[in-house]
């Protein structure tokens, strides 16, 4: 069956290598290089701006995290501000950067800035490769990318200045939403047009997921925009909001991340995916159930009870896509895990899929009413969100960026040390952030739910996670942030074409070294 | 294998089911929700309507400052958690409580206490005037030394200006920028959070509206679908 993602011809199965085959392979390589070149402009724009927003979101995340254990403190060296006579300005700015403003700015920069832009960049490149068409009029995509970026910038700045729509993950000002949507239309419609010109008749698994992501996003975004601007009042807006958030994570980011993993894992180890049938079951159950798990976010809330019940049931059934996806990835990797020691792409992508499975299982467990009554309203849910965005999605995107960029700029990554540091910082930094959100959430959850007499006064509850919070800020966000600074620098070098000569990819370890 | 036609039909189907079950069906159900009216036969007029249409107060300040990222506004049924036991409300809140709110600020986190009934729990202490009276509902422990005497407007200003002066390890941000320094006229304003001989720090218009908003939060009205679940502590004695 399908050997590597790009070829569907049955001939891949037999290993006879006639001259004809060799010639065809050469031709394919040339074709591939041409397609890569056509995608160069927009994909690099997506990556560069995404990495910019990644850095912005790490800084905002650090401030948000810090303001929970040291509210109102000024970030950075105060003596420096004093030296520069910026004391008053710095106090003015940091006074205003309260948690209620920084947190939404952080999630917006993270989800719409980093995650979505990186995802669209990877998706653009994947579509070119998988449909075997070169990207025509890439300027349209560039245009879309800049619109999207303008949207994120307006959103983050207005939120920090004190604008908020009251809807989580949809806080942006109307202007920002319009920019995002217009930008998306350029990108998404262009993607669909390219898809029509595909020269690969049977779409590969990644294409299923990308189609779902790109088809569904505007529907979720548009429906939410329309319903929340309508004069209908009341909890309906919270319901739409929960539904939107769920779609944003499961069907937009989730599908792009899975698509990327389905491409790069078999690609790097050069082996077909373990089972197409499993992939098929996984795909359909993921997109059907993934749209129904929304209302666990409102369990216990003032909404019709059956909604929550449906979502709990759907969450439990999510076991099906999770187990099929996990099984498929793990079985494909079987016997090839050694390659993780040398291939950066594989290491990031596979660790990302592990985070995916963990996050998804956590989603199932947290949907159970007995667990939810402890974890609802606590940082546990932030832990889940970070597991999905930092653990799974970012990891998979890093893996993809490490693979794609050399093919666009014409040189290989400069330094294996940088890559190692980036992996180390990302994995342990994100791991620390996630673990502390989860533990902190559990600790407060117990105090919230089983209050002893002294915990009846809420002012006695809020100190409970105190021990966890500084660790999250000073170890979690700092580690993660430093790793991203290294990565951004490394990427900048690539854009300046400072790197190893093209040809052999820069590996984390020379194969044969170690094991 | 997935044919593109099947693929797109399937994806659209997934969206249709999702939007149908999660959005359209509840919408048809919730759109018709009306306030609860008790009819007074004698006077032939409504004797009681709930909820009332709220006049806009400092809600925009509350939203803009993102208070709802830490403070929820929903009381859950006792089977979900001790919300009523804490005294955050006398009953669970239901959809009808929110019909006049543009975007109900239900909140998803409880870093701070729930505010569904903030005004109502603070009321008793307010009317009474005596600073010793504590709010009737809050179930804070008798010996709790931090227990505030009253949660009235002045207390809210203190809390807004710097929560750490009231609770040393509070995580609530200080909203100093919602206050301004003014010269003292004849004597310091009762709402001043600090003053010296010449100057005083008083709440801005925004802070005043925010405090009014908090004190207006009251979802204690008896509803058919949500009977009172818990009686006030004082009443139990």
């Amino acid at each position: 069956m399908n050997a590597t993602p790009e070829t569907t011809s049955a001939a891949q199965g037999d290993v006879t290598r006639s001259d004809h085959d060799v010639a065809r392979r050469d031709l394919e390589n040339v074709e591939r290089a041409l397609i890569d070149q056509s995608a160069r402009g927009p994909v690099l724009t997506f990556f560069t701006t995404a990495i910019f927003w990644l850095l912005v979101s790490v800084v905002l995340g650090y401030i948000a995290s810090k303001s929970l254990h040291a509210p109102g403190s000024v970030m950075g060296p105060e003596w420096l501000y004093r030296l520069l006579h910026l004391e008053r300005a710095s106090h003015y700015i940091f006074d205003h950067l309260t948690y209620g403003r920084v947190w939404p700015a952080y999630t917006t920069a993270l989800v719409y800035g980093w995650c979505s832009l990186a995802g669209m960049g990877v998706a653009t490149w994947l579509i070119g490769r998988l449909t075997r068409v070169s990207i025509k009029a890439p300027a349209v995509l560039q245009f879309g990318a800049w619109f999207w970026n303008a949207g994120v910038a307006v959103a983050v700045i207005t939120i920090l200045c004190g604008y908020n729509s009251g809807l989580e993950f949809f806080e942006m000002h109307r202007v920002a939403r319009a920019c995002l949507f217009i930008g998306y239309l350029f990108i998404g419609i262009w993607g669909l047009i390219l898809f029509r010109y595909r020269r690969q008749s049977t779409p590969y698994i990644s294409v299923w997921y990308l189609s779902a992501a790109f088809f569904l996003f505007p529907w979720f975004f548009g429906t939410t925009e329309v319903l929340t601007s309508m004069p209908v009042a009341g909890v309906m807006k919270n319901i739409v909001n929960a539904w939107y958030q769920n779609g944003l994570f499961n069907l937009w980011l989730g599908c792009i991340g899975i698509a990327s993993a389905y491409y790069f894992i078999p690609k790097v180890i050069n082996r077909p995916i373990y089972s197409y049938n499993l992939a098929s079951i996984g795909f359909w159950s993921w997109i059907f159930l993934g749209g129904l798990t929304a209302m666990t976010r409102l369990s216990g809330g003032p909404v019709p009870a059956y909604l929550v019940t449906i979502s709990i049931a759907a969450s439990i059934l999510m076991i099906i896509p999770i187990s099929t996806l996990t099984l498929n990835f793990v079985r494909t990797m079987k016997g090839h895990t050694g390659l993780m020691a040398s291939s950066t792409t594989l290491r990031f992508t596979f660790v990302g899929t592990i985070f995916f499975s963990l996050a998804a299982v956590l989603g199932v467990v947290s949907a159970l009413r007995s667990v939810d009554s402890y974890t609802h309203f606590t940082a546990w849910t932030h832990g889940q969100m970070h597991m999905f965005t930092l653990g799974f999605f970012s990891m998979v995107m890093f893996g993809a960026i490490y693979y794609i960029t050399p093919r666009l700029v014409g040189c290989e990554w400069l330094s294996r040390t940088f890559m190692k540091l980036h992996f180390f910082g990302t994995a342990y930094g994100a791991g620390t952030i996630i673990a502390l959100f989860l533990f902190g959430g559990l600790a407060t959850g117990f105090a919230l739910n089983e209050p002893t007499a002294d915990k009846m006064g809420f002012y006695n509850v809020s100190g409970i996670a105190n021990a966890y919070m500084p660790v999250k800020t000073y170890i979690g966000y700092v580690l993660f942030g430093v790793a991203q600074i290294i990565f951004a620098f490394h990427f900048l070098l690539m854009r300046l074409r400072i790197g190893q000569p093209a040809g052999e990819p820069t590996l984390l370890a020379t194969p044969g070294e170690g094991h | 294998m997935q044919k593109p036609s099947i693929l797109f039909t399937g994806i659209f189907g997934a969206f249709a089911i999702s939007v149908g079950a999660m959005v359209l069906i509840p919408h048809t159900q919730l759109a018709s929700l009306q306030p609860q009216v008790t009819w007074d036969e004698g006077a032939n007029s409504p004797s009681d309507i709930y909820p009332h249409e709220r006049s806009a107060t400092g809600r925009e300040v509350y939203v803009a400052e993102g208070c709802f990222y830490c403070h929820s506004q929903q009381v859950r049924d006792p089977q979900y958690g001790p919300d009523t036991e804490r005294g955050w409300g006398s009953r669970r809140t239901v959809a009808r409580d929110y019909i006049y709110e543009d975007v109900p600020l239900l909140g998803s986190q409880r870093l701070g206490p729930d505010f569904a009934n903030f005004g109502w729990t603070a009321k008793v202490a307010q009317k009474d005037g005596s600073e010793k009276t504590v709010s009737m509902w809050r179930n804070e422990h008798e010996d709790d030394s931090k227990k505030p005497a009253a949660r009235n407007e002045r207390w809210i200003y203190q809390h807004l200006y710097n929560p750490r002066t009231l609770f040393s390890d509070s995580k609530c941000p200080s909203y100093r920028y919602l206050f301004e320094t003014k010269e003292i006229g004849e004597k310091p304003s009762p709402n001043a959070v600090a003053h010296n001989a010449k100057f005083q720090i008083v709440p801005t218009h925004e802070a005043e509206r925010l405090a009014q908003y908090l004190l207006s939060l009251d979802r204690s009205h008896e509803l058919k679908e949500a009977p009172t679940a818990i009686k006030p502590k004082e009443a139990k004695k």
Side-chain angles (χ1 to χ4, degrees):
Chain A
M1 291 303 235
N2 297 23
T4 49
E6 279 116 346
T7 40
T8 33
S9 57
Q12 280 285 338
D14 51 282
V15 243
T16 47
R17 293 181 181 202
S18 64
D19 286 352
H20 179 75
D21 273 349
V22 173
R24 206 198 57 200
R25 201 152 303 152
D26 281 348
L27 213 69
E28 271 179 10
N29 280 340
V30 172
E31 186 194 352
R32 234 173 252 168
L34 284 176
I35 295 173
D36 284 352
Q37 273 317 302
S38 74
R40 182 173 183 277
V43 174
L44 284 179
T45 307
F46 278 124
F47 286 173
T48 312
T49 52
I51 292 168
F52 168 76
W53 288 115
L54 173 65
L55 296 180
V56 170
S57 62
V58 173
V59 173
L60 291 173
Y62 174 88
I63 300 176
S65 180
K66 190 172 174 193
S67 63
L68 286 185
H69 55 84
S73 63
V74 172
M75 194 181 112
E78 283 200 57
W79 56 265
L80 188 69
Y81 298 123
R82 216 169 300 142
L83 209 70
L84 298 172
H85 295 283
L86 289 174
E87 232 180 338
R88 297 226 2 224
S90 71
H91 274 281
Y92 179 83
I93 292 172
F94 286 104
D95 262 4
H96 281 73
L97 292 184
T98 51
Y99 181 83
R101 291 184 182 195
V102 181
W103 174 262
Y106 163 57
T107 55
T108 303
L110 183 66
V111 170
Y112 294 96
W114 156 242
C115 291
S116 297
L117 280 165
M120 289 191 285
V122 171
T124 308
W125 186 83
L126 281 179
I127 295 255
R129 275 250 169 151
L130 289 168
T131 57
R132 293 173 59 206
V133 289
S134 47
I135 309 287
K136 296 188 190 66
V140 178
L141 288 173
Q142 298 260 23
F143 200 64
W146 286 113
F147 248 101
W148 184 284
N149 268 291
V152 182
V154 172
V156 171
I157 292 169
T158 50
I159 291 171
L160 287 176
C161 293
Y163 173 84
N164 197 313
S165 74
L167 299 158
E168 288 185 47
F169 290 96
F170 207 69
E171 291 95 349
M172 304 86 86
H173 192 272
R174 171 156 300 168
V175 175
R177 299 201 298 256
C179 286
L180 288 182
F181 199 69
I182 296 172
Y184 180 81
L185 288 184
F186 280 110
I187 299 161
I189 292 179
W190 204 239
L192 287 180
I193 292 176
L194 290 180
F195 185 73
R196 274 204 47 85
Y197 286 106
R198 70 191 172 277
R199 287 170 42 220
Q200 180 96 14
S201 54
T202 329
Y204 176 68
I205 311 169
S206 299
V207 177
W208 314 343
Y209 279 100
L210 290 178
S211 311
F214 277 81
F215 182 79
L216 291 173
F217 179 77
W219 282 99
F220 272 90
F221 196 90
T223 312
T224 308
E225 172 68 41
V226 169
L227 286 175
T228 54
S229 330
M230 279 193 342
V232 286
V235 291
M236 199 51 222
K237 288 194 179 164
N238 301 98
I239 293 176
V240 174
N241 191 202
W243 172 79
Y244 173 74
Q245 288 178 41
N246 184 65
L248 183 68
F249 285 105
N250 281 355
L251 299 174
W252 171 238
L253 298 184
C255 282
I256 295 178
I258 298 173
S260 180
Y262 261 124
Y263 181 84
F264 287 106
I265 290 179
K267 187 79 194 167
V268 173
I269 64 177
N270 199 15
R271 220 176 87 146
I273 200 80
Y274 169 68
S275 160
Y276 251 62
N277 289 335
L278 273 185
S280 190
I281 298 171
F283 172 71
W284 289 114
S285 53
W286 177 260
I287 64 164
F288 273 91
L289 294 168
L292 293 174
T293 54
M295 299 307 153
T296 52
R297 284 160 210 270
L298 292 174
S299 75
V303 297
Y306 67 85
L307 277 180
V308 180
T309 313
I310 295 177
S311 286
I312 294 177
S315 298
I316 293 171
L317 288 176
M318 284 290 264
I319 296 272
I320 301 167
I322 299 164
S323 51
T324 46
L325 276 160
T326 311
L327 191 67
N328 225 355
F329 289 140
V330 170
R331 290 306 293 257
T332 307
M333 279 291 285
K334 199 173 169 217
H336 295 264
T337 38
L339 272 176
M340 289 216 311
S342 56
S343 164
T344 327
T345 299
L346 192 65
R347 193 188 285 189
F348 271 101
T349 310
F350 191 65
V351 171
T353 59
I354 294 172
F355 269 117
F356 168 80
S357 307
L358 285 177
V361 168
L362 219 60
V364 176
V365 173
S366 319
L368 302 173
R369 198 157 279 188
S370 47
V371 179
D372 177 78
S373 63
Y374 286 96
T375 57
H376 208 87
F377 292 131
T378 72
W380 176 275
T381 56
H382 288 337
Q384 284 176 274
M385 194 277 269
H386 282 82
M387 208 155 188
F388 198 90
T389 50
L390 299 187
F392 155 59
F393 195 80
S394 300
M395 281 289 201
V396 171
M397 287 301 115
F398 291 138
I401 293 176
Y402 275 121
Y403 187 92
I404 297 170
T405 315
R407 286 165 174 75
L408 302 182
V409 299
C411 64
E412 296 290 338
W413 295 94
L414 179 68
S415 156
R416 90 170 40 156
T417 313
F418 282 174
M419 289 174 162
K420 279 186 184 161
L421 285 176
H422 181 220
F423 179 81
F424 177 85
T426 309
Y428 289 91
T432 312
I433 295 170
I434 295 162
L436 291 167
F437 267 129
L438 293 178
F439 285 128
L442 267 192
T444 23
F446 278 101
L448 267 175
N449 232 34
E450 285 173 1
T452 45
D454 63 314
K455 294 287 181 292
M456 275 296 181
F458 203 87
Y459 35 81
N460 293 328
V461 176
S462 54
I464 284 188
N466 270 0
Y468 300 97
M469 290 177 183
V471 184
K472 187 177 88 212
T473 316
Y474 297 129
I475 296 183
Y477 276 99
V478 168
L479 256 183
F480 189 80
V482 170
Q484 304 326 319
I485 291 172
I486 294 173
F487 173 61
F489 179 66
H490 209 182
F491 184 81
L492 186 73
L493 291 181
M494 283 297 267
R495 290 227 50 181
L496 300 173
R497 297 190 176 222
I498 299 171
Q500 310 283 355
E504 286 305 302
T506 311
L507 299 175
L508 291 166
T510 321
E513 215 176 72
H515 34 251
Chain B
M1 294 304 112
Q2 319 280 352
K3 277 215 201 90
S5 54
I6 300 177
L7 186 64
F8 279 96
T9 320
I11 293 170
F12 192 76
F15 177 76
I17 291 181
S18 173
V19 77
M22 301 277 103
V23 175
L24 297 181
I25 295 178
H27 180 67
T28 52
Q29 188 187 354
L30 291 171
S32 57
L33 210 55
Q34 296 295 323
Q36 174 176 303
V37 179
T38 317
W39 198 258
D40 185 346
E41 292 293 338
N44 204 17
S45 66
S47 65
D48 179 28
I49 301 178
Y50 178 81
H52 318 283
E53 236 167 307
R54 251 172 230 278
S55 55
T57 49
R59 185 181 171 283
E60 349 57 91
V61 188
Y62 187 91
V63 178
E65 296 303 338
C67 309
F68 65 95
Y69 291 100
C70 295
H71 295 283
S72 59
Q73 283 191 30
Q74 50 177 318
V75 180
R76 295 178 302 169
D77 192 80
Q79 62 169 323
Y80 283 93
D83 298 9
T84 45
E85 196 187 326
R86 275 185 192 282
W88 284 343
S90 58
R91 59 164 174 86
R92 63 168 299 200
T93 51
V94 290
R96 200 191 297 274
D97 286 313
Y98 304 89
I99 51 176
Y100 289 125
E101 274 169 66
D102 181 25
V103 179
L105 302 165
L106 299 183
S108 59
Q109 292 283 311
R110 274 181 182 164
L111 268 79
D114 187 89
F115 283 166
N117 287 294
F118 185 89
W120 179 65
T121 52
K123 231 173 233 166
V124 176
Q126 269 218 312
K127 271 188 207 148
D128 197 15
S130 121
E131 294 282 282
K132 274 210 190 81
T133 335
V134 288
S135 41
M136 173 167 68
W137 287 86
R138 293 298 184 96
N139 227 344
E140 284 135 9
H141 197 262
E142 311 261 307
D143 313 328
D144 194 332
S145 58
K146 293 185 190 166
K147 184 172 180 149
R151 286 182 165 90
N152 52 18
E153 225 170 322
R154 266 158 71 194
W155 185 82
I156 294 176
Y157 293 138
Q158 289 285 344
H159 195 284
L160 263 184
Y161 186 72
N162 188 358
R164 254 83 45 209
T165 54
L166 298 171
F167 308 111
S168 56
D169 68 345
S170 171
K171 304 285 173 292
C172 197
S174 27
Y175 291 94
R176 263 172 299 197
Y177 53 91
L178 295 180
F179 291 80
E180 57 196 351
T181 311
K182 273 193 178 160
E183 253 181 89
I184 299 179
E186 303 204 327
K187 59 178 173 123
S189 143
N191 288 335
V193 289
H195 64 88
N196 58 19
K198 253 182 105 183
F199 293 101
Q200 57 176 348
I201 300 175
V202 287
T204 56
H205 190 51
E206 261 128 51
E208 282 168 6
R209 296 218 319 279
L210 187 55
Q212 276 167 27
Y213 172 71
L214 288 178
L215 288 170
S216 77
L217 292 171
D218 178 351
R219 297 178 176 102
S220 61
H221 195 285
E222 183 104 15
L223 281 182
K224 284 186 298 240
E225 65 269 39
T228 301
I230 193 165
K231 295 278 174 262
K233 208 168 57 168
E234 264 81 358
K236 265 191 284 186
K237 282 191 201 148

